[in-house]
Amino acid sequence: MKIVLNNREEFLETTKQSLTISELLVLKNYSFKSLVIKINGDLIKREKRETASFREGDQVEVIHLISGG
Amino acid sequence: MSRLFLITFLDPSFGGILSRINLGSATMRVDDIKRILKRKTVGIAGCGGLGSNAAISLARVGLGSLVLVDFDKVEEGNLNRQYYFSDQVGSYKAIALKENVRRVNPSIAVLAHLAELTPSLIADLFSGCDIVLEAFDRAEMKEMLIECVQTAFPSMPLISGVGMAGWGKNDLIGSMRSGNLYIVGDQQSEASDDNPPLAPRVGIVANMMANLALELMLGSD
């Protein structure tokens, strides 16, 4: 599946038509605890990660947050 | 932690490459700048290193109102980066910052709230703001605040500080944009016992946040 991930084209190895955010995080090994996630500009809350999904051509952003301030 | 960090950092699809910010630049006389800023309100979530330094800069340039929220007290160890003085150790940060801000600029209105921010409180306290600065210490609090502000106020610019621990590495610090969410920092230097946040780098990021807030406020008038 080809998507735009953090403003770059990204090919995801999957046979599925759509993927959930949780599946993306596993697929990409994104293991940070705190993240901000958007699909096509819409914020996906933490509790929606299991259900919110995207498909071919969608824009996905995964911003990791780290401590310090 | 450092191994996970390396894997993620080396993955080119992760972080640091959101859209560059380009709001255009303008020039303006100082009286016009003050006239615009006088009508503006900035909310600051967390009065630590980022929040205290950003607040002082915004007060200096003539911001009209600040909404400060923090439940913590000033500690000795905060003085290596936060805009407090040694005789303020033990005072509530929001109150001490209000004093310091008003010593710089007596005409700024400051609402200081001693509270730990929860989703409902965020929606209440920041509803009248033009811009909110996310200036928390802990990553999970940053996530909570970003989720709440972007949900409650989708059209309000939100500026978050991410990654400023340690020293040096000036070139890594930058700003990125995702819709109304702006991320300022190097997005990789996490604060820890072995990598403490220190005045210069925290001050740089805090002032970049204030600088971006200015750009948004002066550009949108």
Side-chain angles (χ1 to χ4, degrees):
Chain A
M1 182 193 302
K2 220 195 270 176
I3 62 165
V4 177
L5 181 60
N6 290 347
N7 275 350
R8 283 191 193 178
E9 276 208 349
E10 174 86 20
F11 182 76
L12 301 172
E13 292 275 357
T14 179
T15 50
K16 294 185 178 178
Q17 289 291 304
S18 72
L19 284 175
T20 66
I21 290 299
S22 299
E23 288 169 329
L24 173 74
L25 299 184
V26 172
L27 201 65
K28 292 292 298 173
N29 267 323
Y30 286 167
S31 47
F32 271 90
K33 274 199 306 190
S34 301
L35 299 167
V36 175
I37 292 159
K38 294 187 178 183
I39 298 176
N40 296 326
D42 294 328
L43 184 86
I44 306 299
K45 288 190 170 188
R46 176 172 283 272
E47 67 260 27
K48 295 278 168 64
R49 286 184 196 169
E50 297 280 345
T51 50
S53 63
F54 57 89
R55 43 184 63 236
E56 178 90 13
D58 280 343
Q59 290 223 20
V60 181
E61 286 167 84
V62 181
I63 303 168
H64 69 272
L65 303 172
I66 55 179
S67 289
Chain B
M1 202 303 286
S2 60
R3 233 171 101 219
L4 290 179
F5 160 72
L6 195 66
I7 292 163
T8 320
F9 180 55
L10 290 177
D11 181 339
S13 68
F14 202 104
I17 41 142
L18 302 175
S19 352
R20 300 297 310 177
I21 297 168
N22 184 10
L23 301 168
S25 60
T27 57
M28 213 181 273
R29 297 179 68 85
V30 86
D31 286 349
D32 294 325
I33 293 170
K34 282 188 175 169
R35 182 178 48 77
I36 294 170
L37 293 183
K38 223 176 133 182
R39 299 194 304 266
K40 303 288 187 184
T41 301
V42 173
I44 299 188
C47 300
L50 295 176
S52 63
N53 285 290
I56 292 289
S57 275
L58 291 170
R60 284 194 196 281
V61 291
L63 182 74
S65 314
L66 273 172
V67 178
L68 306 175
V69 193
D70 200 299
F71 64 93
D72 230 350
K73 289 179 175 171
V74 180
E75 291 172 33
E76 192 78 41
N78 298 150
L79 299 180
N80 67 356
R81 64 191 186 282
Q82 305 189 12
Y83 211 113
Y84 300 104
F85 300 94
S86 54
D87 59 5
Q88 291 177 316
V89 170
S91 308
Y92 281 106
K93 288 183 181 179
I95 304 290
L97 185 56
K98 178 177 178 172
E99 282 170 20
N100 296 346
V101 154
R102 290 181 56 84
R103 281 183 68 185
V104 168
N105 176 359
S107 63
I108 189 170
V110 184
L111 281 173
H113 298 281
L114 307 180
E116 183 157 22
L117 280 170
T118 58
S120 61
L121 208 52
I122 288 170
D124 270 0
L125 297 182
F126 294 135
S127 63
C129 294
D130 295 286
I131 293 179
V132 169
L133 306 189
E134 179 287 306
F136 284 138
D137 180 23
R138 285 167 29 229
E140 59 269 29
M141 287 295 284
K142 291 177 183 287
E143 181 187 295
M144 187 274 287
L145 186 107
I146 292 170
E147 277 196 8
C148 289
V149 172
Q150 295 251 284
T151 305
F153 313 110
S155 61
M156 185 189 290
L158 171 63
I159 303 174
S160 176
V162 181
M164 77 295 297
W167 62 90
K169 295 178 285 186
N170 279 347
D171 298 350
L172 290 185
I173 300 173
S175 15
M176 311 291 163
R177 177 180 186 178
S178 165
N180 273 319
L181 172 65
Y182 299 82
I183 306 280
V184 179
D186 69 13
Q187 295 184 270
Q188 55 178 275
S189 300
E190 182 150 40
S192 67
D193 288 344
D194 297 324
N195 196 26
L198 298 169
R201 239 168 162 256
V202 172
I204 289 167
V205 172
N207 277 293
M208 283 181 70
M209 293 168 73
N211 193 34
L212 180 53
L214 262 193
E215 192 173 15
L216 290 162
M217 289 187 287
L218 295 175
S220 68
D221 196 76

